[in-house]
Amino acid sequence: MQRRRRGVDVGLILLLSQVFQVGLENIPPVTLGTLALNVFLFLKPLKPLLKVCISVDQGYYQKDWQRLLLAPVHHADDWHLYFNMVSLLWKGIKLERKLGSVLFGYIIAVFSVLIGIVYMVLEFALAGLLNDPSYKMNCAVGFSGVLFALKVLNNHYHPGGTSNIMGIRVSSRYACWLELVAIHLCSPGTSFAGHLAGILVGLMYTLGPLKMLMKAIAGDFPYFNDSARQRDYYSGYSRHPSYPYNTPGDYDTYTGGLTEEEQFERALRNSLHDRALSLYAYATLAVGVLNPSKRLEKKRIG
């Protein structure tokens, strides 16, 4: 099955507007490179979606292991790409600034592959527990499994905040679990197992042995040390007039006491509010009313 394409990819236009709203100079290199790779493969996919999505049947039984690399960086449509990449944008800026570009890139690479493996284990377990072999056929694409893992890391390295999930204020420590359920209920075509795999991999890194294992594999990799991360050249943001957290002086005067995450999310919402109506009207006139459903036959998007 081919990706559903429109004459105008409104989600892609909105994504590019967000990138320029933030400013290229304010996006660290690994985050920017990962975002660019996902956009490029959306425009020029290496293979059709059914040839890149990951499932127990295709990945394990058919031994098509390249899907572990391809599935996270391919997306079902422009809105799927948009929501994932906007989430990557603010998570990447915060985490890459905290961890350094080298370590953050290492984490992205390992998580991208490992989440696909955990996803297959979960689907295999569900097929056995529920006596339903169709779970082995569920084929997932998209970067959101990695994003759930990064959310766990973000909450680990920036503790104490709260998140608003569908009007419910919840500690950021538990927000990923509420989001897991809320997304599945609101959009059943998404991959519950893929998102859960991301959370589990994130916990394996923050609470389990994964971080130590990655450190052992990397050998004398200096960026696992706080002192080395502090020397990373991307230790701060460049100035950008649209974002008050770059302004020197009395921080609260410019930010209203908001955290960096809240400032970034407010900027995204304001930008969407300014652009969404005109872009939606244009797209509706050009290609007809948009269908928000992202369910694919025998395919889950993540």
Side-chain angles (χ1 to χ4, degrees):
M1 182 181 296
Q2 298 293 324
R3 176 193 290 124
R4 297 187 306 278
R5 295 304 301 272
R6 306 183 178 96
V8 177
D9 288 324
V10 181
L12 182 58
I13 295 173
L14 282 172
L15 174 60
L16 294 177
S17 75
Q18 296 301 329
V19 170
F20 287 105
Q21 175 80 2
V22 175
L24 292 175
E25 71 276 14
N26 292 312
I27 306 174
V30 173
T31 299
L32 184 61
T34 304
L35 190 151
L37 175 63
N38 279 268
V39 171
F40 176 79
L41 291 177
F42 173 76
L43 297 173
K44 299 289 184 181
L46 296 179
K47 296 180 180 181
L49 286 181
L50 285 178
K51 299 293 185 181
V52 299
C53 61
I54 186 68
S55 68
V56 176
D57 178 66
Q58 295 295 327
Y60 179 70
Y61 289 126
Q62 303 298 328
K63 309 299 182 184
D64 192 359
W65 300 113
Q66 65 176 333
R67 291 173 182 255
L68 291 171
L69 299 174
L70 298 178
V73 290
H74 285 79
H75 290 81
D77 58 35
D78 55 323
W79 289 108
H80 187 205
L81 176 75
Y82 167 75
F83 287 114
N84 278 355
M85 293 302 100
V86 168
S87 181
L88 170 65
L89 195 59
W90 76 261
K91 289 181 175 71
I93 287 175
K94 293 191 71 177
L95 283 173
E96 190 167 346
R97 185 188 187 191
K98 175 72 175 180
L99 302 175
S101 295
V102 177
L103 178 56
F104 185 67
Y106 185 30
I107 287 172
I108 289 288
V110 172
F111 282 14
S112 296
V113 174
L114 186 57
I115 287 168
I117 296 173
V118 175
Y119 167 77
M120 288 192 291
V121 171
L122 290 174
E123 293 284 26
F124 189 89
L126 285 171
L129 289 172
L130 302 177
N131 195 26
D132 185 353
S134 67
Y135 284 99
K136 298 180 182 180
M137 305 295 294
N138 284 341
C139 214
V141 292
F143 204 71
S144 58
V146 179
L147 294 173
F148 267 88
L150 294 182
K151 187 173 186 66
V152 173
L153 265 65
N154 184 61
N155 294 336
H156 174 75
Y157 288 111
H158 302 91
T162 60
S163 297
N164 190 324
I165 310 297
M166 300 180 66
I168 302 174
R169 299 293 294 184
V170 61
S171 170
S172 294
R173 182 178 181 181
Y174 306 108
C176 57
W177 296 104
L178 184 57
E179 285 185 19
L180 173 68
V181 175
I183 290 174
H184 185 65
L185 292 177
C186 295
S187 185
T190 57
S191 174
F192 182 86
H195 296 165
L196 177 59
I199 293 176
L200 294 178
V201 169
L203 292 175
M204 287 166 60
Y205 185 89
T206 57
L207 302 177
L210 181 57
K211 182 177 181 181
M212 297 304 298
L213 181 60
M214 289 173 60
K215 184 175 181 180
I217 293 174
D220 295 329
F221 190 52
Y223 280 80
F224 276 100
N225 300 321
D226 290 336
S227 59
R229 290 201 301 268
Q230 291 171 0
R231 293 195 299 269
D232 187 88
Y233 79 93
Y234 197 86
S235 58
Y237 294 129
S238 302
R239 291 189 184 277
H240 194 277
S242 301
Y243 287 87
Y245 51 70
N246 294 320
T247 308
D250 187 352
Y251 188 83
D252 286 341
T253 299
Y254 297 98
T255 66
L258 299 176
T259 66
E260 289 182 358
E261 177 178 333
E262 290 170 333
Q263 295 168 54
F264 196 89
E265 289 178 334
R266 174 173 290 184
L268 292 181
R269 288 195 299 270
N270 289 341
S271 179
L272 279 174
H273 178 75
D274 293 339
R275 292 173 171 83
L277 290 178
S278 60
L279 285 170
Y280 186 84
Y282 171 74
T284 302
L285 289 173
V287 298
V289 178
L290 299 178
N291 177 8
S293 173
K294 292 196 276 289
R295 177 180 285 276
L296 298 175
E297 181 181 357
K298 287 188 179 180
K299 184 181 279 84
R300 301 289 178 177
I301 57 178

